[in-house]
Amino acid sequence: MIKSLFSTCIFALALTANTTLAEPLHGISMHGEPALPADYKHFPYANPDAPKGGKISYGVVGTFDSLNPFILKSMRTAARGIIDPEFGHLYYDTLMQRSRDEAFTMYGLLAETVEWDDERTFLQFNLNPKARWHDGKPVTADDVIFTFETMTEKGRPPYSRRLARVERMEKVSDLSVKFIFNEKSNREFPLILGLMPIIPKHDTDAANFDSITMDIPVGSGPYKVKEIRPGERITYERDPNYWAKDIPSKVGFDNYDEIRVEYFLSQTAQFEAFKKGLFDVYPEGNPTHWQTAYNFSAVNDGEIIKQTFKKQRPSGMYGFVFNTRRDIFKDIKVRKALSLMFDFEWINKNLYGGVYTRTQSFWQGSDLSSYQNPANDIEKALLAPFPDAVSQDIMDGTYQLPVTDASGRDRKLLRQALGLFQEAGYKIDGGKLIGTDGKQLTFEVMPQNEDQEKLALAYQRSLKALGIEMSVRTVDDAQYQKRSQTYDFDMIIKAFTSSFSPGGEQVWRWSSRAVEPEGTFNFAGVASPAVDAMIDALVNARTTEDFQAAVRAYDRTLLSGHYIIPAYHLGETWVAHRDYIKFPEGKQPIYGYQLPVWWDGRAE
């Protein structure tokens, strides 16, 4: 109690102290200082001499029914490109711009400078006086305040949650807004605020903001909407009067005069359209497809180039996700047994030509991974209040997923799996695995595309050896998005990307706060005090050493929970593109190739 009162007093004193003058900064970093100085000219992975002009077409699978990506109703069916981590934020600018060549550093965009204190109890955004909406009106502090208030009331997660960590917003001037944080805040949160896209107060119907609409709004970004074909295509045209075209964080970006996003009903239709020249860039994730499907005239004639980029970022996690909201997956012994029955060696050999590496950690290939790393003293202290949260082999770094004989029916692993099933109350009866309720262990996997379906069918083959009935049901994109958003599934196949600076986004992937609300990414339904505590530790870490230890401890809790059956990853990424699409040569950013800095070589 005394410690709690002391902490509260310290926080109150910090809130009082934050009224002191702070030095305006051109950038802020999660740990340490920004890599680029205040007088930097452009990001190191952008070409300042990239020609402006030409056009590009992207192809995606799915449909769209809204131009508002900020609400739950259109969370997964809003038009691509409005706010888009892959193609770029074409329509709305954010308060700050993230450098993809640093772990987590933000530089000025709508906010020319920012101010904060060492304890990060407040953050003040000082808007660029040049910032303008597409209709020529200035972006103001009122727009910033209006955005946060509207998103809180009618937006979707995570936008709707942002003010939960804010004690109050203060309008310092027409171009400055101060956010004073409450005790729920953490050291990462100020940077998260910098990611916020801002909407115009004068052109937004706040009362009906949560309604799906195809009305073209007023934005502040580098592109305007040129044409809409609902569900089929959206076309953007570059704004020649874009206010930030000479801002250092945008130099070398937004090079096309026109960007078109084409929609397709399936991955097969998407690739056939690429072959016919209907769009220009095709990121490839299937090694067999990469090796065998590109023997057509456009490739042979050099009109399409197959490009390989070496990965520098952590592996991430791709695999089968258990929905632990379902009774059949609540027992960890069942999840462990089902994991043992995934024959990676058979699948890698027979389906993918042996090109994949088995994923052993959410951050494999980086210093943040717990794989083959015994827990250090900092990790042990973090995990001490949760003695049962991490298994001993994962704690001491000796854990490794089993290696099979690649037969698809490795008897040794089948015996281990059966032993776990028996401990959970199952038995073999008439060639079926029967539970205490007298029913066969039965569940459904819902793949999203043909590649996932192939993987699921291979897994189905292994499960039959123990009398487990796993059905595979591939649904269309609209149904998939609806069912995954409402957690209406037994098991899905998902990819969880990993960064060098995991933080608040982990709350919506794995924390207990994200179990009940619809539309989060906690597909597994994880509600673990240990997981929650490790997320809190990593977002509040002050030093690189403490941060690394917190992420490793977090990795251990997720692996020990067996919420996902790890599949595989690649050490490189592949992109096929038309020969006229160019990108900066030389050093690639640590987060991989960046489409927003590519350009049309025909404009040179």
Side-chain angles (χ1 to χ4, degrees):
M1 176 65 74
I2 294 175
K3 182 178 179 181
S4 176
L5 288 172
F6 179 76
S7 298
T8 302
C9 290
I10 291 297
F11 190 84
L13 288 171
L15 286 179
T16 304
N18 70 32
T19 57
T20 59
L21 295 176
E23 179 185 357
L25 304 170
H26 74 290
I28 51 177
S29 186
M30 181 62 190
H31 298 109
E33 299 297 324
L36 302 178
D39 61 350
Y40 80 101
K41 304 302 181 185
H42 58 86
F43 285 163
Y45 56 88
N47 177 9
D49 300 318
K52 303 291 185 183
K55 59 184 178 181
I56 191 171
S57 295
Y58 298 118
V60 298
V61 175
T63 186
F64 72 97
D65 59 11
S66 175
L67 296 184
N68 187 347
F70 306 117
I71 60 174
L72 193 60
K73 291 178 182 177
S74 61
M75 179 178 179
R76 307 194 196 281
T77 56
R80 292 288 304 272
I82 299 291
I83 286 288
D84 200 300
E86 183 178 8
F87 303 151
H89 299 336
L90 305 181
Y91 206 78
Y92 292 104
D93 279 333
T94 50
L95 284 165
M96 305 187 78
Q97 176 90 327
R98 184 173 185 175
S99 169
R100 306 307 295 182
D101 200 38
E102 300 176 55
F104 194 4
T105 299
M106 305 292 292
Y107 293 92
L109 187 54
L110 281 175
E112 184 176 31
T113 62
V114 294
E115 302 173 35
W116 64 1
D117 60 345
D118 290 340
E119 296 300 316
R120 302 187 186 182
T121 62
F122 77 96
L123 183 69
Q124 180 171 312
F125 294 104
N126 303 314
L127 299 179
N128 194 314
K130 298 178 182 177
R132 291 290 184 274
W133 298 105
H134 289 156
D135 60 7
K137 294 185 178 181
V139 180
T140 68
D142 289 331
D143 293 316
V144 176
I145 294 171
F146 171 81
T147 296
F148 278 90
E149 291 177 342
T150 302
M151 297 283 192
T152 299
E153 182 179 356
K154 295 183 178 293
R156 65 169 176 84
Y159 305 113
S160 60
R161 311 286 185 179
R162 296 277 160 83
L163 287 186
R165 299 177 186 271
V166 176
E167 179 72 24
R168 65 184 184 275
M169 292 184 289
E170 291 182 358
K171 179 180 176 181
V172 179
S173 70
D174 287 344
L175 294 178
S176 293
V177 180
K178 178 183 283 189
F179 291 81
I180 299 172
F181 306 129
N182 59 32
E183 69 281 356
K184 297 178 183 178
S185 187
N186 55 56
R187 294 187 64 78
E188 185 203 40
F189 184 63
L191 284 82
I192 296 297
L193 288 187
L195 295 169
M196 191 71 162
I198 302 303
I199 59 176
K201 180 178 181 179
H202 69 277
D203 188 64
T204 302
D205 180 2
N208 297 301
F209 183 74
D210 55 353
S211 299
I212 290 176
T213 179
M214 282 291 190
D215 294 339
I216 298 176
V218 170
S220 60
Y223 288 86
K224 296 181 178 181
V225 174
K226 179 181 180 180
E227 180 191 24
I228 302 172
R229 293 187 183 179
E232 297 179 13
R233 174 191 302 162
I234 181 167
T235 305
Y236 302 89
E237 60 182 351
R238 188 157 56 89
D239 181 3
N241 300 313
Y242 176 47
W243 73 272
K245 59 185 177 182
D246 297 320
I247 299 296
S249 63
K250 294 293 279 183
V251 168
F253 286 69
D254 315 316
N255 299 314
Y256 307 103
D257 281 347
E258 181 178 290
I259 296 178
R260 190 168 70 237
V261 183
E262 301 276 1
Y263 284 77
F264 302 95
L265 294 178
S266 69
Q267 199 170 25
T268 299
Q270 179 192 24
F271 186 68
E272 289 302 315
F274 175 67
K275 290 167 61 176
K276 294 175 183 177
L278 296 185
F279 63 95
D280 300 315
V281 177
Y282 190 87
E284 180 63 77
N286 184 322
T288 304
H289 201 254
W290 184 248
Q291 294 167 357
T292 64
Y294 289 81
N295 186 23
F296 54 92
S297 59
V299 176
N300 298 331
D301 295 341
E303 297 173 10
I304 288 178
I305 297 174
K306 296 174 67 179
Q307 202 79 47
T308 298
F309 299 92
K310 183 175 176 57
K311 275 188 177 179
Q312 300 181 65
R313 65 186 299 168
S315 63
M317 181 62 73
Y318 176 71
F320 293 84
V321 181
F322 297 103
N323 185 357
T324 62
R325 300 172 184 84
R326 299 287 206 250
D327 288 339
I328 54 172
F329 295 143
K330 288 187 181 300
D331 192 329
I332 192 173
K333 297 186 184 71
V334 172
R335 302 199 298 272
K336 290 172 69 174
L338 288 170
S339 296
L340 286 173
M341 299 188 70
F342 179 77
D343 195 331
F344 165 75
E345 281 68 31
W346 185 93
I347 290 170
N348 195 32
K349 175 184 176 182
N350 291 278
L351 298 186
Y352 304 119
V355 302
Y356 279 121
T357 298
R358 187 77 193 268
T359 304
Q360 308 275 356
S361 159
F362 285 77
W363 282 272
Q364 193 165 334
S366 78
D367 291 337
L368 301 177
S369 174
S370 65
Y371 178 53
Q372 296 183 331
N373 287 310
N376 61 24
D377 289 342
I378 301 175
E379 293 177 68
K380 291 176 181 178
L382 288 171
L383 292 166
F386 314 99
D388 300 324
V390 177
S391 61
Q392 186 56 47
D393 54 351
I394 292 178
M395 195 73 172
D396 62 27
T398 61
Y399 172 77
Q400 183 166 325
L401 291 165
V403 177
T404 74
D405 60 11
S407 67
R409 294 194 175 204
D410 189 310
R411 292 181 179 276
K412 179 180 178 181
L413 290 177
L414 288 176
R415 284 195 295 271
Q416 291 180 24
L418 180 58
L420 287 168
F421 281 127
Q422 289 172 337
E423 290 179 26
Y426 286 86
K427 63 181 180 179
I428 299 289
D429 186 357
K432 297 179 180 180
L433 190 67
I434 305 298
T436 54
D437 58 359
K439 297 180 180 179
Q440 183 182 17
L441 178 56
T442 302
F443 62 92
E444 177 187 89
V445 174
M446 184 175 68
Q448 191 174 10
N449 52 49
E450 295 95 328
D451 289 341
Q452 289 187 359
E453 182 180 278
K454 182 170 67 172
L455 180 62
L457 290 172
Y459 183 39
Q460 180 189 62
R461 174 182 179 273
S462 297
L463 294 178
K464 286 182 178 179
L466 283 185
I468 299 168
E469 184 64 31
M470 185 191 94
S471 59
V472 179
R473 183 185 178 191
T474 305
V475 298
D476 61 43
D477 186 72
Q479 188 176 356
Y480 181 89
Q481 300 299 348
K482 177 63 177 177
R483 288 184 60 183
S484 61
Q485 184 174 317
T486 57
Y487 318 119
D488 181 21
F489 59 86
D490 297 331
M491 178 182 281
I492 56 176
I493 303 172
K494 273 290 178 184
F496 297 90
T497 58
S498 294
S499 76
F500 292 101
S501 184
E505 80 285 348
Q506 300 300 315
V507 171
W508 304 111
R509 291 185 181 186
W510 302 105
S511 85
S512 56
R513 289 176 55 195
V515 172
E516 296 299 331
E518 292 185 1
T520 76
F521 297 95
N522 190 349
F523 300 109
V526 176
S528 162
V531 169
D532 291 347
M534 295 312 106
I535 294 175
D536 186 62
L538 69 90
V539 297
N540 283 297
R542 286 176 172 264
T543 68
T544 300
E545 182 183 22
D546 286 343
F547 176 70
Q548 182 184 87
V551 178
R552 284 186 178 182
Y554 178 46
D555 192 28
R556 296 182 205 278
T557 60
L558 291 177
L559 293 171
S560 297
H562 294 276
Y563 304 114
I564 186 169
I565 302 175
Y568 43 69
H569 65 275
L570 288 166
E572 55 192 26
T573 56
W574 302 313
V575 182
H577 62 86
R578 300 288 158 183
D579 63 340
Y580 49 77
I581 299 299
K582 307 295 183 181
F583 57 88
E585 299 290 345
K587 182 181 183 296
Q588 292 296 310
I590 61 174
Y591 282 107
Y593 68 87
Q594 299 295 308
L595 293 177
V597 300
W598 292 22
W599 67 87
D600 187 342
R602 296 169 299 185
E604 294 178 349

